[in-house]
């Protein structure tokens, strides 16, 4: 599965064994990462980026790999996450197929791919792995941890499980727990993959690949990553030219269908289906309150999880059109961190692009992130 | 496919041939319908209900079938659509499998099921069929046509194509055209069915039935029929008891997943997949402006379609949480009908149940409909 990994990726070995929160342990596991800028002598200028489900560690061009990264507009010299000042680290998630150990990696106990023998993966495992990366890089305390989407969950887990690891936090379109609408969407995405006969309980290969399931999962994702408002203006009811339309019964006819199709095609062979299942489920399981249950009540108390975090400053940003990680979840983060003592701000942006806005609406997200980091 | 049809259903034959708007014609086709109350001597107390995608004509209990109907709380003596005053007619959509002729009906030319040989179905064909039902029942002019969801589209088509057929109109969670978010959702639902190998280009039977595709389609539907707000309160992060959880890898774990599963199970064998495909696509194609293009502009002008309608009174109602037929679409209907001369009102209801609210939130939808009809 090395075809998924960008050139120039570096690795840090995890402790072996690496215990997993829901049971089991990993042997010889590692985390892929990239960096931008230089760690200063005081080692106090490090910024860690924790990503969403699918990105690799190549957030932006650097010396090791000059190709543009997935957050090119945000990371680099003079950019909002300014590598002239900050030593920026981006870690690929544990459980991913983009260099970090995951279900598509070789299981050293068998010599075969882990597939579904990979232990159950939680957001907290990813957070622990990221904490190890930070320490191995010689960083005692991050100036800031920035988490996007799933990475927003992982960043909160990092702050709760590793007190003192960061002075500040930017949570972008993240959440302190998964809510049922998002669980339903992700459950259905996983079901689409599982229903594909080629998934075969995780035993697919390139020749027998769950292409249909991954297409469906990705298209459902794209529908919930963007927004109706954006699409009204962008696609309306525009039809495909007759030479691009589809002759199959009930085939593609509208531009919006072709857009989804394009997204699906670009994704399907570029992400491992088992890794997708593991990472997707880890989000459903996540509730920061799992660490802070009320005295005699077994229910998770998300708010208590947030207020237990000790940092100096925080910013929780979201897009008003996000239906997957809705604004109320970023507001909840800022409110909870404030009660915990942080100078925490909630910022709702008018981006029409929904959950994906942080990947495209740099006019709004750029200044918000820049402003926070400049004032640190 | 007679198992889909409620007992007591009655039929009206369509003209034979019945021309279809996008080409082709039907022979020996018919529309299933039911009635409540009595047509008065002046024949001016008739109310027609035009349904969404899946309901049959059995909106409520009546003499022919005392079983509760899908809109039991809304139709009957003393109810908001009061059969003591009104002669209420509910017609099953052309193209459905609930009694009206559709892809699951016998094609008289071959003696086999139509399947994909059924002509392309448009919302306007359904409207023309409903107009024929009205006239065959001896009604020159309806007191009101009420359309829900897809039926809201069909009711508008009826009013444009059959001027004078109604004095008034209630549009409930309907739309004057399909928007790209809804097109994307429906396209994906159709793709789920088409990707199921058992769909087999429409040639399935009970033993080889596209069960997986229909399950996926229905679950996607339910996600977009309800709302995140409702589910936060209703399901939260509650887990299934261990005896109801699912041992399959990545199987059901949360209540919300079990809820979707229950909806899927109830639907899958109770609606014909080909009929689903035809009706779903008819919504994507719908734009009331197709009849009223601007002079030198080939683009459909939805607004002109609405303003061309001549009725006395109208009410367009929607739920603030509806993501499939969002409020702006009911506002557009009321605004357009008002410009056309109607006393037209837009009413946004605070129902948490999203698009499905009209099927469950009778505390809000009941008084709105009752108030409009009482004042007629």
């Amino acid at each position: 599965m090395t075809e998924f990994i960008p050139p120039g990726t570096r690795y840090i070995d995890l402790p072996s064994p690496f215990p997993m929160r829901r049971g089991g342990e990993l042997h010889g596991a590692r985390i892929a990462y990239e960096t931008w800028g230089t760690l200063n002598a005081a080692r106090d200028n490090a910024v860690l980026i924790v990503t969403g489900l699918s990105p690799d560690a190549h957030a932006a061009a650097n010396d090791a790999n000059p190709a543009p990264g997935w957050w090119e507009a945000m990371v680099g010299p003079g950019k909002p996450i300014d590598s002239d000042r900050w030593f920026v680290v981006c870690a690929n998630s544990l459980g991913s197929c983009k260099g970090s150990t995951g279900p598509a990696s070789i299981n050293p106990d068998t010599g075969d791919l882990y597939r579904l023998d990979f232990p159950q993966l939680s957001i907290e495992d990813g957070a622990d792995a990221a904490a190890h990366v930070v320490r191995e890089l010689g960083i005692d305390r991050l100036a800031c941890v920035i988490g996007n989407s799933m990475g927003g969950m992982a960043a909160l887990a990092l702050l709760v499980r590793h007190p003192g690891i960061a002075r500040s936090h930017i949570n972008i379109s993240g959440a302190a727990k998964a809510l049922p609408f998002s669980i339903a969407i992700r459950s259905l995405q996983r079901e689409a993959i599982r229903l594909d006969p080629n998934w075969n309980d995780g035993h697919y290969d390139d020749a027998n690949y769950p292409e249909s399931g991954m297409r469906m999962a990705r298209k459902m994702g794209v529908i919930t990553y963007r927004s109706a408002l954006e699409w009204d203006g962008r696609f309306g009811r525009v039809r495909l030219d007759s030479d691009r339309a589809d002759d199959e019964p009930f085939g593609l006819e509208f531009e919006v269908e072709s857009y989804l199709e394009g997204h699906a095609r670009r994704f399907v062979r570029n992400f491992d289906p088992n890794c997708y299942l593991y990472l997707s489920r880890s989000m459903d399981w996540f509730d920061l309150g799992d660490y802070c249950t009320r005295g005699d009540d077994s229910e998770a108390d998300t708010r208590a999880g947030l207020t237990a975090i000790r940092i100096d400053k925080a910013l929780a940003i979201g897009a008003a059109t996000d239906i997957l990680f809705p604004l109320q979840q970023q507001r909840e983060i800022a409110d909870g961190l404030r009660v915990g003592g942080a100078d925490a701000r909630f910022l709702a942006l008018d981006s029409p692009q929904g959950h994906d806005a942080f990947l495209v609406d740099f006019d709004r997200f750029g200044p918000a992130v820049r402003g926070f980091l400049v004032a640190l």
Side-chain angles (χ1 to χ4, degrees), chain A:
Chain A
M1 303 277 175
T2 51
E3 68 274 23
F4 298 142
I5 305 168
T9 298
R10 287 186 288 175
Y11 299 91
I12 284 177
D13 289 336
L14 292 177
S16 188
F18 180 82
M20 300 286 277
R21 178 177 170 245
R22 296 176 64 101
E25 55 190 30
L26 299 177
H27 297 266
R30 61 186 192 170
I31 294 296
Y33 75 102
E34 295 195 25
T35 67
W36 298 260
T38 308
L39 187 61
N40 63 15
R43 299 176 176 273
D44 65 359
N45 72 328
V47 171
L48 174 69
I49 298 170
V50 193
T51 79
L53 187 155
S54 57
D56 52 38
H58 190 59
N62 51 18
D63 291 344
N65 180 2
W70 56 266
W71 226 14
E72 188 66 31
M74 292 291 282
V75 179
K79 295 190 177 165
I81 304 170
D82 185 354
S83 57
D84 287 338
R85 176 176 175 196
W86 306 110
F87 174 59
V88 184
V89 181
C90 181
N92 179 232
S93 306
L94 183 69
S96 173
C97 54
K98 305 281 188 179
S100 295
T101 299
S105 305
I106 299 288
N107 178 353
D109 293 347
T110 65
D112 292 328
L113 300 184
Y114 274 109
R115 302 185 187 274
L116 301 199
D117 291 334
F118 198 78
Q120 291 188 353
L121 177 74
S122 70
I123 291 289
E124 291 82 354
D125 298 319
D128 291 352
H132 181 77
V133 168
V134 169
R135 302 223 157 96
E136 285 294 302
L137 291 173
I139 302 159
D140 285 332
R141 194 164 197 217
L142 293 162
C144 187
V145 54
I146 301 176
N148 304 329
S149 184
M150 183 185 84
M153 293 175 159
L156 292 173
L158 180 75
L159 292 167
V160 164
R161 291 169 71 86
H162 302 274
I165 199 167
R167 284 199 287 136
S168 76
H169 170 44
I170 304 178
N171 199 294
I172 299 181
S173 304
K177 69 178 168 205
L179 290 176
F181 181 83
S182 306
I183 292 173
I185 296 280
R186 285 191 291 261
S187 172
L188 209 54
Q189 291 174 300
R190 294 194 299 272
E191 186 169 357
I193 295 170
R194 293 162 55 217
L195 282 173
D196 188 322
N198 279 345
W199 179 59
N200 190 24
D201 281 324
H203 289 273
Y204 48 83
D205 57 29
D206 283 349
N208 296 285
Y209 179 93
E211 177 131 2
S212 299
M214 286 291 279
R215 289 165 49 83
M216 290 297 296
R218 183 59 170 178
K219 288 188 178 186
M220 257 184 271
V222 173
I223 288 177
T224 54
Y225 297 157
R226 309 299 289 215
S227 88
L229 179 70
E230 181 198 13
W231 287 2
D232 288 348
R234 186 166 169 183
F235 302 116
R237 295 184 43 77
V238 175
R239 254 90 167 177
L240 295 171
D241 303 333
S242 55
D243 59 327
R244 289 168 63 214
D246 182 342
D247 292 335
E248 290 292 306
F250 302 95
L252 307 187
E253 183 174 340
F254 289 92
E255 280 284 350
V256 67
E257 295 177 281
S258 173
Y259 166 82
L260 290 179
E261 183 68 21
H263 268 281
R265 285 196 186 151
R266 286 192 295 280
F267 185 73
V268 159
R269 295 279 180 169
N270 286 306
F271 206 87
D272 177 74
N274 288 336
C275 292
Y276 191 91
L277 292 173
Y278 271 82
L279 288 164
S280 166
R281 186 178 54 179
S282 76
M283 281 189 267
D284 289 1
W285 279 336
F286 184 65
D287 185 341
L288 192 67
D290 282 352
Y291 295 95
C292 309
T293 55
R294 291 188 194 89
D296 56 353
D297 181 343
S298 65
E299 275 205 26
D301 183 346
T302 313
R303 172 79 164 204
L306 286 165
T307 59
I309 291 174
R310 296 286 169 270
I311 46 172
D312 298 339
K313 279 190 73 173
L315 173 65
I317 322 177
T321 48
D322 189 342
I323 58 173
L324 201 60
F325 287 70
L327 272 187
Q328 73 200 71
Q329 298 207 276
Q330 293 95 54
R331 188 194 307 270
E332 177 184 42
I333 291 168
D335 289 348
L337 294 177
R338 197 176 305 119
V339 171
D343 171 10
R345 188 172 161 224
F346 163 63
L347 182 60
L349 298 178
D350 268 339
S351 308
Q353 298 96 342
H355 184 62
D356 265 1
F358 69 90
L359 294 171
V360 286
D361 187 6
F362 303 116
D363 288 348
R364 289 190 176 87
F365 281 82
V369 170
R370 182 190 294 275
F372 182 87
L373 291 176
V374 162
L376 274 189

